[in-house]
Amino acid sequence: MRAGSRFLLVVAAGLILAGCEPEKKPVEQTTETETSLPPITTPAFNADSSYKYVEEQVAFGPRVPNSKAHQECGEFLARFFMKHGGWITRQEFTAKSFDGKELKLKNLIISYNHKATKRILLAAHWDTRPFADQDETDPDKPIDGANDGGSGVAVLMELARAINAAEKKPDVGFDIILFDGEDYGQPMSYPGPYQEDSWCLGSQHWAKNKHKADYTAFYGILLDMVGAKDATYAKEGVSVAFAPTIVDKVWSAAGRLGYGNQFVSVKSSGITDDHTYVNKLAMIPMIDIIEYDSQGSYFGSYWHTHDDNINVIDKKSLKAVGQTLIEVLYREKL
């Protein structure tokens, strides 16, 4: 997850004022009202399993591009999703970092019910920050990224496992994209002009070079920093600007399940994240579920420090997000 206030987008009059032209806004498709829907039977999201998946990612070490841990974890994730019924596409590419390094990156695209024409896109980033630039101790060393990267991936892993094991599947198809190179952005302390697009390298590449030329989705949901203790999630500004009915759909689902204290009915400022490029370049309406605390910040005390380790992760937060996503998928109809 990228740095502080420089990455905040100004949202005014429902439009994003950060180089995003109104005519390039994706068309959001509306769905039926969900104010008083009857309960449905869905698979249970196992928070213990999801927590274990965070641990397994962290055990590789920091998943920094060009590192052994990055390569090994990428293969581990591909094997996991194949084991649990996914069709895998590895999108390998090279990107240049803010400091001129050639990064060998890999987006993983995992498809379920791949023949279905109506598709929902779920995403997270699987790489980790190459330096702890918000830490006074060892700021040049990479971080574990248990929450910033690991938690979103772990939620999608358990979601895929639970749905694949269930007798009844969602009526629609869904695709999981694990974006690479999200967190290799320019730190504030780096000399020279600031490079805004040094973040979110994987989503930028995929949005310009989709794994299928004609790929589209009904809408998308991005997860970022969703697993910390007592995490709350506000209605993020870019999400509200591009996909307000999807925001309402997800927050309504969370409320029906009893997670209204986590999915708070507060509109927060917009933030540059992978969904920004999916909205602007891929033209798919996508929202961001991302931690936003009561002090009005996206960045917890652990953010981009060595405290972003397994001790930050809370099973209740993983459960709230994962069960909500399953509810949303099973509510969709062809």
Side-chain angles (χ1 to χ4, degrees):
M1 181 63 229
R2 68 240 32 83
S5 58
R6 276 192 175 178
F7 298 92
L8 295 180
L9 300 177
V10 177
V11 179
L15 298 177
I16 300 172
L17 307 179
C20 179
E21 300 171 3
E23 64 269 25
K24 293 184 179 180
K25 184 174 179 179
V27 177
E28 186 189 28
Q29 303 179 62
T30 58
T31 56
E32 70 278 2
T33 180
E34 300 192 4
T35 55
S36 58
L37 295 177
I40 58 173
T41 300
T42 62
F45 182 93
N46 189 316
D48 290 332
S49 293
S50 189
Y51 185 90
K52 182 186 74 172
Y53 301 147
V54 179
E55 289 183 313
E56 289 176 339
Q57 292 174 80
V58 171
F60 285 99
R63 283 83 65 205
V64 176
N66 295 353
S67 70
K68 182 180 179 182
H70 180 267
Q71 180 179 358
E72 291 179 346
C73 187
E75 288 308 306
F76 159 75
L77 293 171
R79 289 193 302 270
F80 176 92
F81 284 104
M82 285 190 287
K83 176 182 177 181
H84 295 287
W87 291 60
I88 304 289
T89 300
R90 294 174 173 86
Q91 186 181 51
E92 299 182 357
F93 62 102
T94 301
K96 185 168 289 188
S97 68
F98 68 91
D99 55 356
K101 291 186 177 70
E102 292 290 329
L103 303 178
K104 295 180 180 180
L105 303 178
K106 183 190 308 181
N107 293 329
L108 295 175
I109 302 97
I110 307 104
S111 296
Y112 289 87
N113 190 10
H114 66 283
K115 293 183 179 180
T117 55
K118 181 178 179 180
R119 311 204 61 79
I120 309 301
L121 175 58
L122 307 175
H125 75 89
W126 69 278
D127 63 304
T128 54
R129 187 72 167 151
F131 23 73
D133 49 309
Q134 299 297 313
D135 205 324
E136 295 181 359
T137 303
D138 294 325
D140 296 328
K141 293 183 179 180
I143 66 172
D144 285 349
N147 197 33
D148 196 354
S151 63
V153 173
V155 167
L156 297 178
M157 292 170 75
E158 171 54 18
L159 176 146
R161 186 210 63 77
I163 291 177
N164 185 60
E167 182 176 352
K168 185 182 185 308
K169 307 293 194 286
D171 291 337
V172 297
F174 65 96
D175 304 290
I176 293 171
I177 301 187
L178 305 183
F179 290 123
D180 203 355
E182 190 268 1
D183 233 344
Y184 215 112
Q186 180 180 341
M188 304 293 283
S189 60
Y190 188 76
Y194 185 71
Q195 303 168 54
E196 174 74 22
D197 291 332
S198 63
W199 302 84
C200 304
L201 300 176
S203 55
Q204 290 187 63
H205 180 83
W206 179 83
K208 297 173 185 175
N209 308 275
K210 295 176 184 176
H211 63 292
K212 293 182 179 179
D214 60 347
Y215 177 84
T216 191
F218 196 54
Y219 60 84
I221 301 173
L222 174 69
L223 308 181
D224 198 355
M225 299 196 295
V226 295
K229 183 179 180 181
D230 299 325
T232 55
Y233 319 102
K235 298 178 177 181
E236 182 269 339
V238 175
S239 306
V240 172
F242 279 104
T245 65
I246 306 308
V247 172
D248 291 343
K249 175 194 290 286
V250 172
W251 263 247
S252 294
R256 288 194 302 273
L257 295 174
Y259 301 128
N261 289 335
Q262 290 100 318
F263 285 77
V264 295
S265 187
V266 172
K267 181 181 176 182
S268 58
S269 54
I271 192 167
T272 300
D273 206 343
D274 285 319
H275 71 313
T276 305
Y277 297 98
V278 174
N279 277 302
K280 291 171 62 175
L281 302 179
M283 305 298 290
I284 296 172
M286 178 177 257
I287 71 168
D288 194 3
I289 301 177
I290 181 171
E291 181 180 355
Y292 186 80
D293 64 30
S294 60
Q295 305 303 311
S297 175
Y298 289 108
F299 311 108
S301 61
Y302 60 85
W303 173 71
H304 288 185
T305 74
H306 297 294
D307 289 335
D308 188 0
N309 55 45
I310 194 63
N311 296 323
V312 170
I313 302 301
D314 184 76
K315 294 177 184 179
K316 292 181 180 179
S317 297
L318 298 173
K319 174 72 173 181
V321 175
Q323 198 66 60
T324 296
L325 287 188
I326 289 176
E327 171 82 5
V328 169
L329 283 179
Y330 275 78
R331 290 284 181 185
E332 289 294 344
K333 301 297 180 183
L334 293 174

